[in-house]
Amino acid sequence: MYDVIIIGGGISGLMAAYRLTSGTSAPKVAVLEKGHRLEARHCPIVERRQSSCIRCNPCNIMEGAAGAGAFSDGKYVISTEYGGWLTDVLNSATVMDYIEQADGILCSYGATTERYRPDDELKRLCLTHDLHMQQGQLKHLGTDDNLATMRRMIEDLSNRCEIICDTEVTDVSGMAVSYRDKSGRESTVSAKHIIFAVGRSGSEFFQEWCRRNSVPMRSNQVDIGVRVELPAIIWEHFSSKIYEPKIWYRSKLYGDITRMFCFNERGHVVTENTGGILTVNGHAYKDKSKKSENSNFALLSTLRFTHPFNEPIRYAKTVAALANQLSGISVLVQRLGDLLAGRRTNEHRLKASTTHPTLEAVPGDLSLCVPKRQLDNIVETLFALDKIAPGTANHDTLMYGIECKYYSSRPAGGDFELAGHKNVYMAGDGSGFTRSLSHAAANGLYVADKILKST
């Protein structure tokens, strides 16, 4: 019997465990994580033992102790302007306070204290071209330093609570949690409080549980598009000052919003495996010896579905799965010039590119898998961005597909407690309230405080 069981060992779950076990009379806490221990998480592509994804199960990039954030480039957003929707429930001052608290915790485990500050001159430059840059303080931990910080945090927490990896939760009934370990053995444990902190990779499991247990849900947006890669010097006037240009644009053709975000200066494009579907993302290291000559960023078109369709995540995965089929179970890469000319990029054309790819993807034609509306939005936005960073819309700008960000349908509840399920809580990206390290961390701390106050 535990006082608290946390389902998911990502940043939200770990922060909740940290807060719960920090007092002198700490409750008995267990963290159940589907993936491997952090030190056992090895991606063959990242470690350059494989040139393409071999579909590890579980995916060591997406799942395991410290969550998907462990192998991200480690951006820490100190703002309520973007990064999640916690302000739908809490006031901005409270959210900022918890973001700062979480940052202090990460710093105690060795995270950098350096912050990038907003820049109004760059914001003004964007506005003159009808581009809208979101601003806030930002920290870049780096994929390597972020990993080391999370390792130290987990080592400390392991002395204060149980962190049980390679453990897949199969059901929650009442206050009993059923799970299957790596040998296939089924077990059940119970607790006085339960936190679903499943992250994006666990969002479908969580949504299905909510359906079975009569918890109403409201769909969030889904973002579909590509990862853009180009010479780092093109965006250096932005990245050297604010690190991440986070810019949105409303297309003139459709009036849709397309977002540029997840910028990785001198980084690498990487493959992710979510439930067997391969998508792309980006990493960036602090270690200068690991930097590339390119920068990359996500460029995604935002969709919000209405009645009768209510499965945005399935839609995004279907689009990504089509790209996987066209590439022979991989991801595609195409030069912008080839896309505009209506031809596929082949191996010969890719070798002729002046932008050298950092990911060994399959040359192809994105117009065969990205829906026309989203692709039109992406191309229009690239030319808009070219006005503030000339060279963005060059012939040899590379686009990898598919990249998608899907945000879990948000379950009904009050103050992060699930409707109709007393003492069962939700936190982090899997609950549809956050989409960043900082907001997920803040959410975990807040839920933990709520539990502590109730006991």
Side-chain angles (χ1 to χ4, degrees):
M1 176 72 175
Y2 293 94
D3 293 303
V4 184
I5 291 177
I6 300 169
I7 303 171
I11 187 69
S12 186
L14 293 177
M15 282 290 175
Y18 176 92
R19 180 54 54 83
L20 289 166
T21 59
S22 292
T24 54
S25 57
K28 186 179 180 182
V29 176
V31 179
L32 305 182
E33 168 55 47
K34 179 182 178 182
H36 301 321
R37 294 174 293 109
L38 186 54
E39 58 270 25
R41 294 177 65 182
H42 300 285
C43 175
I45 299 178
V46 172
E47 296 179 353
R48 303 193 181 282
R49 292 184 283 110
Q50 294 283 340
S51 59
S52 59
C53 181
I54 60 173
R55 294 175 175 261
C56 299
N57 185 23
C59 174
N60 284 308
I61 291 290
M62 295 299 293
E63 296 175 310
F71 287 90
S72 71
D73 69 315
K75 292 190 195 73
Y76 193 86
V77 176
I78 306 170
S79 172
T80 58
E81 188 172 344
Y82 57 97
W85 301 275
L86 292 178
T87 52
D88 289 356
V89 177
L90 308 172
N91 63 59
S92 293
T94 299
V95 175
M96 283 298 296
D97 178 50
Y98 275 97
I99 287 173
E100 292 284 7
Q101 288 182 49
D103 179 52
I105 293 166
L106 291 175
C107 287
S108 74
Y109 291 111
T112 182
T113 58
E114 179 186 8
R115 296 188 180 195
Y116 290 88
R117 308 285 174 173
D119 189 298
D120 285 342
E121 286 303 314
L122 292 177
K123 187 177 181 71
R124 184 178 296 109
L125 171 63
C126 291
L127 287 171
T128 58
H129 296 284
D130 202 16
L131 293 160
H132 304 270
M133 187 171 77
Q134 296 175 296
Q135 298 211 94
Q137 294 185 45
L138 180 78
K139 297 174 71 172
H140 176 229
L141 308 179
T143 304
D144 41 3
D145 283 7
N146 180 48
L147 193 61
T149 299
M150 298 311 298
R151 183 178 293 114
R152 287 187 286 266
M153 182 178 188
I154 290 171
E155 287 174 355
D156 181 35
L157 285 175
S158 296
N159 297 319
R160 297 155 52 171
C161 66
E162 291 187 63
I163 301 178
I164 309 170
C165 295
D166 298 301
T167 301
E168 182 177 8
V169 172
T170 56
D171 196 15
V172 174
S173 180
M175 303 308 292
V177 178
S178 300
Y179 65 89
R180 181 187 304 115
D181 65 21
K182 60 183 177 182
S183 68
R185 183 178 58 190
E186 301 274 356
S187 301
T188 300
V189 291
S190 58
K192 298 174 184 176
H193 302 268
I194 295 170
I195 303 175
F196 281 97
V198 296
R200 290 181 195 169
S201 62
S203 60
E204 287 187 291
F205 159 75
F206 183 41
Q207 289 178 36
E208 179 56 31
W209 183 90
C210 288
R211 291 189 188 99
R212 293 198 315 269
N213 290 274
S214 304
V215 181
M217 290 179 291
R218 176 165 61 92
S219 293
N220 276 340
Q221 69 190 53
V222 62
D223 295 337
I224 294 178
V226 299
R227 181 151 293 260
V228 177
E229 185 170 46
L230 34 61
I233 195 171
I234 292 174
W235 280 89
E236 199 168 40
H237 57 308
F238 275 80
S239 61
S240 63
K241 295 179 180 178
I242 61 172
Y243 186 76
E244 179 178 34
K246 201 172 190 76
I247 299 167
W248 64 268
Y249 172 76
R250 183 182 291 108
S251 71
K252 303 299 183 290
L253 182 59
Y254 300 110
D256 295 338
I257 299 297
T258 301
R259 300 191 298 132
M260 170 193 180
F261 65 107
C262 196
F263 185 90
N264 294 280
E265 183 183 41
R266 299 189 179 275
H268 297 79
V269 180
V270 298
T271 307
E272 293 182 340
N273 178 356
T274 304
I277 304 296
L278 302 185
T279 55
V280 290
N281 208 331
H283 290 176
Y285 296 91
K286 280 282 191 179
D287 186 344
K288 291 183 179 180
S289 68
K290 295 181 178 180
K291 293 183 180 294
S292 76
E293 62 185 9
N294 298 339
S295 291
N296 65 75
F297 58 85
L299 192 60
L300 307 185
S301 179
T302 298
L303 296 167
R304 290 185 183 276
F305 291 102
T306 56
H307 182 78
F309 186 70
N310 193 36
E311 296 187 82
I313 293 178
R314 179 174 294 184
Y315 175 84
K317 287 189 172 183
T318 299
V319 174
L322 181 56
N324 291 174
Q325 292 175 25
L326 291 170
S327 59
I329 317 302
S330 184
V331 294
L332 294 173
V333 61
Q334 187 173 22
R335 297 185 302 178
L336 176 60
D338 291 331
L339 175 69
L340 296 175
R343 65 189 182 199
R344 70 183 288 263
T345 296
N346 55 29
E347 291 185 5
H348 172 74
R349 291 172 181 139
L350 187 61
K351 286 180 180 178
S353 175
T354 56
T355 302
H356 304 295
T358 57
L359 175 68
E360 190 171 319
V362 176
D365 188 351
L366 290 167
S367 69
L368 297 177
C369 53
V370 181
K372 180 179 185 300
R373 181 169 182 143
Q374 285 94 305
L375 196 58
D376 286 347
N377 289 335
I378 288 164
V379 170
E380 184 180 335
T381 304
L382 279 171
F383 279 97
L385 293 170
D386 194 72
K387 296 175 182 177
I388 61 171
T392 298
N394 280 355
H395 184 283
D396 287 345
T397 291
L398 299 178
M399 299 180 298
Y400 299 81
I402 300 296
E403 176 149 353
C404 53
K405 293 290 188 288
Y406 35 82
Y407 311 105
S408 302
S409 296
R410 187 180 301 176
D415 205 22
F416 306 107
E417 187 173 28
L418 287 165
H421 296 269
K422 185 174 175 58
N423 296 335
V424 180
Y425 307 88
M426 51 187 165
D429 286 13
S431 66
F433 280 97
T434 70
R435 59 181 185 187
S436 66
L437 285 175
S438 60
H439 284 233
N443 198 184
L445 289 177
Y446 179 85
V447 170
D449 278 345
K450 181 179 173 68
I451 291 173
L452 289 171
K453 289 174 184 176
S454 70
T455 57

